[in-house]
Amino acid sequence: MIEGIKIYSAPLQGYTDHIWRNAHAKHFGGVDVYCAPFARVEHGEIKSRDIRDIAQENNKVECMRPQILACAPDDALMLANKIKESGYTIIDINLGCPHPPIALKHKGSGMLKYPIEVAQMLEKLATIEGIEYTVKMRLGWDDCNQWKEVLDCFDIIKPKHVAVHPRIGKQQYKGELLMDGFTEFYHSCHCPIIYNGEILSAEHIMQIKSLFPCIEGVMVGRGLVATPFMLSTEQRGNLMKFHAELLGQYSIHLSGGDMQILNKMKSLWTMFLPQANHKLRKAISKSRNLDQYVHASTEAIKSVIDT
């Protein structure tokens, strides 16, 4: 395990739900805080699926942090109050989602272009007693300097930390990391800072720590879904148990039958174990039933364990 720096598991919509979080903590660990994918309001109501995912009884990890995605202050207030009712005292605010259908509605990273809207939302959230906040953000939506207009807004809520992905939203997950922009943010922000972006190994975590010695921690997202043992390579052998638990739990919790389970597991493999044998990964994507999937995935996992 990695000592001397906090490790946060990033929230990835469609991947790091409570089933994934519980299985990862059980079979690999090394994460100090698991962050849940965002809860949001649609058509005036909070999505029930989002609330089920953060329910205390569904989460077995030692520390889990819910996240909200909103633009309208009243929506943010509704979400935060509901999460408070669920027993949480710290909530993460999403100012980082780069998905255009979300960002173009002034949510996620798209909100960074509108600092007045950010301030209005934070002012509303600051009225809730007994709740502290963290922030996950990018450097901007279409300009890497947009964070500068937002930074002072954080004084409204005094976040426990700010996690920064050194890209703008329009880049999504492509293109170079804007490390000069992150460095400027690092020297300008008075809140504790979490680095988030393209971390693929424990060695890289230590490199980031050496470059930015005052950061509180790092947030690992796609790298941890791809290689869940990256924080402790000696636990590579737990991959089979980890995968079996995911398959078993999704079989219990998904109500759409074998095809829904199959599609859910296939979607995991769009990120999971890119180092697995190419032909076996292709066999997984072509599997038409769970028997074919189980055979192909078992062999693919073996190809990683045996390397």
Side-chain angles (χ1 to χ4, degrees), residues 6-303:
K6 283 190 175 181
I7 308 296
Y8 294 77
S9 169
L12 292 179
Q13 206 72 19
Y15 294 94
T16 60
D17 57 19
H18 71 274
I19 291 174
W20 184 92
R21 296 191 296 268
N22 291 340
H24 186 273
K26 177 179 177 180
H27 296 290
F28 299 108
V31 172
D32 295 289
V33 180
Y34 287 88
C35 300
F38 57 73
R40 69 281 209 197
V41 173
E42 289 188 359
H43 309 297
E45 295 184 353
I46 302 172
K47 288 181 72 70
S48 57
R49 181 180 63 186
D50 297 342
I51 297 304
R52 284 196 303 272
D53 186 58
I54 64 169
Q56 298 273 10
E57 63 267 23
N58 290 331
N59 286 275
K60 311 303 181 186
V61 301
E62 188 170 335
C63 185
M64 200 283 288
R65 185 157 304 161
Q67 184 186 80
I68 61 172
L69 175 83
C71 170
D74 287 343
D75 287 352
L77 189 66
M78 184 193 309
L79 287 163
N81 275 320
K82 184 65 176 179
I83 290 172
K84 181 181 178 181
E85 289 173 11
S86 299
Y88 293 95
T89 58
I90 305 176
I91 298 172
D92 191 59
I93 300 168
N94 185 315
L95 293 176
C97 179
H99 192 44
I102 288 173
L104 293 176
K105 293 179 182 178
H106 297 201
K107 297 178 181 179
S109 63
M111 202 175 189
L112 295 170
K113 193 172 181 177
Y114 305 97
I116 292 175
E117 293 182 10
V118 173
Q120 289 172 341
M121 180 179 70
L122 298 184
E123 285 168 357
K124 184 71 78 167
L125 289 172
T127 65
I128 304 177
E129 295 183 0
I131 292 292
E132 295 181 290
Y133 298 98
T134 60
V135 176
K136 187 176 187 296
M137 66 182 292
R138 296 215 171 191
L139 295 173
W141 164 245
D142 55 9
D143 184 321
C144 66
N145 291 304
Q146 284 167 338
W147 63 268
K148 296 177 182 179
E149 300 299 319
V150 174
L151 193 60
D152 286 345
C153 298
F154 295 157
D155 290 339
I156 298 169
I157 57 168
K158 296 180 172 55
K160 290 177 66 67
H161 73 237
V162 179
V164 183
H165 182 117
R167 284 190 175 100
I168 58 173
K170 275 197 167 183
Q171 288 181 275
Q172 297 197 50
Y173 297 98
K174 300 177 182 178
E176 66 177 337
L177 295 171
L178 306 175
M179 294 307 295
D180 287 346
F182 179 83
T183 300
E184 189 175 1
F185 187 99
Y186 171 77
H187 289 297
S188 302
C189 182
H190 299 300
C191 305
I193 297 172
I194 307 294
Y195 175 87
N196 168 224
E198 302 292 339
I199 292 177
L200 302 177
S201 68
E203 291 76 19
H204 190 199
I205 292 173
M206 299 315 297
Q207 289 171 9
I208 293 295
K209 178 64 174 175
S210 67
L211 288 171
F212 305 102
C214 293
I215 59 170
E216 180 190 277
V218 297
M219 182 173 283
V220 189
R222 291 175 298 155
L224 199 60
V225 173
T227 310
F229 57 87
M230 68 169 283
L231 301 173
S232 183
T233 54
E234 65 268 20
Q235 293 181 320
R236 180 193 300 257
N238 289 347
L239 275 171
M240 204 69 76
K241 292 179 181 178
F242 171 72
H243 176 266
E245 182 152 344
L246 292 181
L247 180 57
Q249 288 297 311
Y250 286 129
S251 298
I252 293 169
H253 285 83
L254 298 178
S255 57
D258 285 0
M259 287 309 298
Q260 186 183 16
I261 299 164
L262 178 62
N263 289 334
K264 179 64 177 179
M265 296 306 296
K266 281 185 177 182
S267 70
L268 173 70
W269 283 86
T270 60
M271 286 193 193
F272 188 48
L273 300 184
Q275 62 271 59
N277 179 277
H278 175 71
K279 289 183 178 179
L280 293 171
R281 287 181 58 85
K282 196 169 183 180
I284 291 169
S285 68
K286 289 186 173 183
S287 57
R288 297 182 180 179
N289 56 58
L290 284 176
D291 286 342
Q292 291 178 356
Y293 169 80
V294 169
H295 175 74
S297 60
T298 298
E299 294 303 311
I301 293 169
K302 284 181 181 177
S303 75

